[in-house]
Amino acid sequence: MVWILSKTRVIEKYGVKVMNNRKVHDGIVGIVIFICVALGHYHESFWLIIPAVLGLILFQSAFSGFCPLYYALDKISPEK
């Protein structure tokens, strides 16, 4: 199958699957946390500051409803 990532859409050869912003957000945050924890473990412990800041942002977004990544994804994603 041919997969092309175009903004928040995954296009198949025989159809279109739409990825919502929540899945894209979870993927981006998961990759950043994984990479930073690995770098913190194997390279320099200062890399662990980034997952800590991401955790604080996710915690405050549970109460305020504002997440900078959701804001950016809403701006770049196609209109529904």
Side-chain angles (χ1 to χ4, degrees):
M1 271 186 193
V2 177
W3 295 89
I4 301 170
L5 182 61
S6 172
K7 293 189 180 178
T8 57
R9 290 178 181 259
V10 175
I11 302 172
E12 285 185 339
K13 189 174 181 181
Y14 298 106
V16 175
K17 289 185 179 178
V18 177
M19 291 180 63
N20 59 11
N21 284 348
R22 180 178 170 101
K23 288 182 181 181
V24 175
H25 170 269
D26 291 347
I28 291 171
V29 171
I31 288 171
V32 169
I33 289 175
F34 178 76
I35 289 172
C36 290
V37 168
L39 284 170
H41 180 72
Y42 292 112
H43 183 60
E44 186 70 38
S45 63
F46 290 116
W47 281 102
L48 297 175
I49 293 172
I50 294 173
V53 170
L54 283 176
L56 287 173
I57 290 172
L58 290 172
F59 181 72
Q60 70 83 25
S61 72
F63 297 105
S64 68
F66 175 73
C67 179
L69 187 54
Y70 276 133
Y71 180 76
L73 287 173
D74 286 340
K75 291 292 183 186
I76 64 170
S77 65
E79 296 296 323
K80 295 177 179 115

